[in-house]
Amino acid sequence: MAAMRDQAKRALRLRPRTARTAAGFRPLRGAARLAAVLALAAAAGGQAPVDPGTAAAWRERLGFPEVRFDFQLSLSVDDLLGLSALDPDERLARAEAGAEDDPDDVEAGLELVHALLAVGDRDEAEAALEQLRERVGRRLAADREDWPAVAAMGRIAATHGLAFRRTDALRSAEVMLQASFANDDSLWRAPTTLASFYTWLATRAAAAGDVEEAGRMLAAAEELAGRAVVAAPDELRPHAVLFLARTWDAVVGSAGDPDRLLARSLEAVDALAAESGLGDDPAQVEGLAELVAATAFLGVCLGADDPREAFDELGDERRARALACLDALAPVGGHRVYGQKARQSRWLLAWLARDPDAEELFEEAVDSERAADVLTLRLGLEQLVGEPEVVAAVAERLLEARDDARARLAVGYASARLGDLAAAEAHFAAALEHDPDADEARVGRAVARLRLGGDEEAARETLRAFLADASDDHPARAPALFALGTALALEGNLEEALAWLEQADEAAPRRSADDVRATLEEVRALAGERDG
């Protein structure tokens, strides 16, 4: 029996979960890991439950998924040039007129392609690209060293490659764009396009977790965009491309350092704002740049345990800089694409600063088709600063705006964090009525039952079933691990409890790490006493 128990424990404790161990074994996942746990449970046998005082402390520590705030912003060159603010049909009409006026104008032809893509007509866009290729190809057939034509063909290939994910076209584009600018440094559109391409490659590398490759691509993009700015200082496009490369570098290169993120973001924003007069609508250009600054401030503050305290700790200069965004963002409030983001960011900055206008700005943000999303966001924020009356009022408005599984889940979490576990359990049950497959609601109800001392056997089985298939990045995985480990410890099954609690300790987010570690150490100590 002891040998069986030791074998199961070794299988469960293999780490890391996503790579081979030093010994060359792959960690168990999903059903295999659950089978190992069940083997450990069988080996452990029945044991006496813990004393009531310890049990109460363990229940009290159980928690729910952390409130998460996702503040990412991905602007494009079209955004900064004002093209995305147009209604797609209006943009297409303008582009068709421009291409008809001069069929040989490559710029007009490429704008027609982008306008067709914006309305979703990919077949027509590809046909327009083919027509452009034929026209420019005739020029190159007459003169292979017509570098403006080489640059134009490179930009056509880049557009084709990015829009239709054609790697062969992208490789050809890179060669032609490099060659054209090397032979004629007045062709500023070539390095501008190449810089945009490298920035896109960097975002893909960053998404895949290859930060080093992303950094290399962004360095190349910044260098090329800088050369384009030198070649065409009075054109907004190269400034916009340089700005986007710099803002991505701020995100990728910050490595969790909020000071560097803010410094690099603000440097990029201020540089573009200084050139906003080159655009047709300088206030829009500056406002969109300031939206990046606001996003950086919000990302730093809302990721802290106490967002308002984090804002206070920015210091006088940076707090003033953050609040300067309020006025700069006002012209973007009506933007077709980014208006809602701008209104929401203005409210959030005012909320962080405890500005008297925060409530008025909140009402402006919530007055939209996405009212429920804004209410959900505020519900999460107010929980962190612990104002029950405000939380209750926002929860009521949220359920009026959208009574579905997602809203019930948010209100359930809010109720639990404010100590009303019975209400939380009811909201989780309601969420499951809306969506029987809502894993987070199922886990939330199980945790609430364990906190309340309800049907613990059902709660344990719910958690086991969830963890058998849950991905490592599922938001409910960490609290489910902690809850299952605690539930097993409560019934006296300390060996199996330790197996789950050790995983919970590894997965615990910052705010709950101390509670998980405390229970783990106490269960270890109790297990040691029993073995002794």
Side-chain angles (χ1 to χ4, degrees), residues 130 153 201 205 301 372 409 455-456 486-487:
E130 183 58 35
M153 189 66 86
L201 288 177
C301 295
L409 184 66
D455 188 347
E456 296 189 5
T486 300

Side-chain angles (χ1 to χ4, degrees), residues 447-483:
V447 174
R449 283 177 174 174
L450 289 172
R451 288 278 298 268
L452 291 167
D455 188 347
E456 296 189 5
E457 183 177 356
R460 287 195 303 272
E461 293 313 308
T462 293
L463 295 168
R464 285 187 194 278
F466 167 72
L467 289 168
D469 298 315
S471 62
D472 286 357
D473 60 354
H474 194 293
R477 179 175 174 271
L481 287 168
F482 186 27

Side-chain angles (χ1 to χ4, degrees), residues 37-63:
V37 170
L38 293 176
L40 181 54
Q47 298 179 18
V50 299
D51 68 84
T54 301
W58 289 352
R59 291 182 196 279
E60 184 66 24
R61 291 175 188 147
L62 294 179

Side-chain angles (χ1 to χ4, degrees), residues 430-514:
L432 288 168
E433 290 180 6
H434 285 290
D435 180 6
D437 296 324
D439 284 336
E440 287 187 64
R442 188 174 293 107
V443 171
R445 185 172 62 175
V447 174
R449 283 177 174 174
L450 289 172
R451 288 278 298 268
L452 291 167
D455 188 347
E456 296 189 5
E457 183 177 356
R460 287 195 303 272
E461 293 313 308
T462 293
L463 295 168
R464 285 187 194 278
F466 167 72
L467 289 168
D469 298 315
S471 62
D472 286 357
D473 60 354
H474 194 293
R477 179 175 174 271
L481 287 168
F482 186 27
L484 181 55
T486 300
L488 291 164
L490 286 169
E491 70 169 359
N493 190 347
L494 302 184
E495 291 289 350
E496 187 187 356
L498 279 173
W500 291 109
L501 288 171
E502 286 176 357
Q503 291 186 69
D505 183 47
E506 185 179 344
R510 183 186 68 253
R511 289 179 182 136
S512 60
D514 289 345

Side-chain angles (χ1 to χ4, degrees), residues 168-447:
D168 56 337
L170 291 173
R171 284 194 292 268
S172 297
E174 185 175 20
V175 172
M176 288 186 283
L177 293 169
Q178 288 175 339
S180 61
F181 191 62
N183 285 278
D184 185 347
D185 60 11
S186 69
L187 299 173
W188 60 271
R189 294 182 186 276
T192 301
T193 302
L194 200 52
S196 293
F197 171 40
Y198 287 163
T199 300
W200 177 76
L201 288 177
T203 63
R204 286 172 60 89
D210 193 344
V211 176
E212 186 176 343
E213 177 64 13
R216 283 197 294 269
M217 289 291 99
L218 288 170
E222 287 189 55
E223 192 270 335
L224 285 163
R227 292 173 65 186
V229 166
V230 172
D234 295 330
E235 296 286 345
L236 180 59
R237 184 179 289 272
H239 290 283
V241 172
L242 179 59
F243 167 75
L244 294 176
R246 285 173 170 171
T247 55
W248 271 107
D249 180 64
V251 174
V252 172
S254 64
D257 182 349
D259 286 335
R260 188 179 191 282
L261 173 64
L262 279 176
R264 289 284 286 155
S265 297
L266 293 175
E267 178 185 326
V269 168
D270 291 342
L272 183 63
E275 307 297 339
S276 61
L278 299 175
D280 294 334
D281 189 343
Q284 286 281 325
V285 175
E286 185 175 354
L288 288 171
E290 288 294 324
L291 190 54
V292 170
T295 301
F297 279 116
L298 293 173
V300 168
C301 295
L302 298 184
D305 290 339
D306 186 329
R308 282 175 167 164
E309 183 178 314
F311 183 81
D312 293 341
E313 291 175 352
L314 289 174
D316 292 343
E317 184 177 346
R318 280 192 170 166
R319 284 199 304 273
R321 179 67 181 81
L323 292 177
C325 294
L326 291 176
D327 290 334
L329 290 176
V332 189
H335 194 282
R336 188 183 67 85
V337 178
Y338 295 102
Q340 174 63 24
K341 186 87 170 179
R343 294 193 299 274
Q344 181 174 289
S345 297
R346 294 185 78 209
W347 156 59
L348 286 167
L349 289 170
W351 182 89
L352 287 170
R354 303 174 182 83
D355 189 289
D357 293 334
E359 281 301 319
E360 180 181 344
L361 293 171
F362 172 71
E363 293 301 331
E364 290 181 9
V366 85
D367 184 19
S368 71
E369 293 180 356
R370 302 191 62 184
D373 293 334
V374 181
L375 288 162
T376 301
L377 175 58
R378 183 165 187 185
L379 186 62
L381 285 173
E382 299 295 353
Q383 294 170 49
L384 297 180
V385 298
E387 297 186 16
E389 292 183 0
V390 178
V391 171
V394 175
E396 184 177 351
R397 286 186 67 177
L398 172 57
L399 293 177
E400 290 174 356
R402 183 180 65 196
D403 189 353
D404 60 7
R406 187 174 163 198
R408 287 286 180 174
L409 184 66
V411 176
Y413 286 154
S415 300
R417 292 190 182 95
L418 293 178
D420 192 345
L421 293 167
E425 185 179 5
H427 286 299
F428 294 139
L432 288 168
E433 290 180 6
H434 285 290
D435 180 6
D437 296 324
D439 284 336
E440 287 187 64
R442 188 174 293 107
V443 171
R445 185 172 62 175
V447 174

